[in-house]
Amino acid sequence: MKLKFALFLVLGVFACALIAQAGEMETIPWPGGKKSAKAEKAMPVEVKKTEAVFGGTKMIPGAMKGEVFFIPEDSGSLPDFSVLKPNGTIYTKTLNVEPRSFDTGFPGISDRTEWFAIRYTGSFTAAAEGDFSFRVLSDDGSRVYIDETLVVDNDGVHPPSELTGTIKLTKGKHAIRVEFFQGPRYELALQLFVTTPGGTERIFESD
């Protein structure tokens, strides 16, 4: 009697173990039918995020539109944008890329870290008439146009360097275009500052 009870107890434990194991099983597709197999836990995949250093792919009201172009290696100056087709588009209201190492590429475009150019176009409002000063710090070359007038020419391959230009503007809306190119990786910079009549210098912001 004791032997039968012990045998029954062992069988009961074994059955419980099978039931518990079945709870960890799932049916997965199998050629020719279905087969039960233990589900494997999905391993986390590390995704390298691309920083929006020069701008993001999401359109922002009042932002400057930045067209990204790939340029030939060993380029020594800004390209002729009129003969190039953009490889992607980004948007930003400010240009405030401090001198830094750039190794992340562009969001939604590629992992390009050298030999590229960006043409930003947008607008801003002058609250009053007067002289506006624009200062650009860039690595490598850059140019700033206001209403198609060249105000700052900081072109060429060089370490972070700055130039300032001044233009008299009327009150109201004005167009701005900023051109920039990056030569050999990895160091670069692009900052645009503005000083309004009677004001203090600040990072330029489009509207």
Side-chain angles (χ1 to χ4, degrees), residues 140-202:
D140 289 296
S142 61
R143 288 193 185 119
V144 178
Y145 295 83
I146 305 297
D147 297 331
E148 296 302 320
T149 298
L150 178 61
V151 178
V152 183
D153 188 350
N154 194 22
D155 199 8
V157 175
H158 51 70
S161 62
E162 60 183 26
L163 283 178
T164 300
T166 301
I167 184 172
K168 187 170 185 178
L169 299 177
T170 58
K171 181 180 179 180
K173 205 88 164 177
H174 295 275
I176 183 170
R177 183 170 88 247
V178 180
E179 300 174 350
F180 166 79
F181 89 97
Q182 161 70 346
R185 59 185 178 186
Y186 284 103
E187 303 305 313
L188 51 66
L190 178 60
Q191 291 181 288
L192 177 62
F193 304 86
V194 62
T195 303
T196 58
T200 57
E201 186 180 71
R202 58 179 173 80

Side-chain angles (χ1 to χ4, degrees), residues 14-93:
F14 181 72
C16 290
L18 287 177
I19 292 172
Q21 186 179 16
E24 299 176 357
M25 306 282 284
E26 69 176 12
T27 300
I28 61 175
W30 194 260
K34 291 186 178 181
K35 179 180 179 179
S36 294
K38 189 173 182 179
E40 293 183 9
K41 293 183 178 179
M43 296 297 292
V45 178
E46 184 178 353
V47 178
K48 184 179 179 181
K49 292 188 68 176
T50 302
E51 295 182 76
V53 176
F54 287 96
T57 55
K58 183 179 179 180
M59 293 185 66
I60 306 170
M64 290 181 286
K65 176 183 177 181
E67 297 171 290
V68 181
F69 304 82
F70 297 162
I71 60 177
E73 293 187 15
D74 299 325
S75 296
S77 60
L78 285 159
D80 179 359
F81 290 96
S82 67
V83 299
L84 299 177
K85 291 184 178 181
N87 296 88
T89 305
I90 53 180
Y91 301 90
T92 183
K93 298 196 73 172

Side-chain angles (χ1 to χ4, degrees), residues 94-115:
T94 62
L95 299 177
N96 191 20
V97 183
E98 297 179 345
R100 57 166 291 163
S101 178
F102 180 70
D103 60 0
T104 56
F106 297 94
I109 301 173
S110 78
D111 58 355
R112 191 86 165 200
T113 57
E114 60 182 345
W115 309 116

Side-chain angles (χ1 to χ4, degrees), residues 1-15:
M1 186 69 176
K2 291 182 178 180
L3 182 60
K4 289 183 178 181
F5 178 79
L7 181 60
F8 178 80
L9 184 61
V10 170
L11 290 174
V13 172
F14 181 72

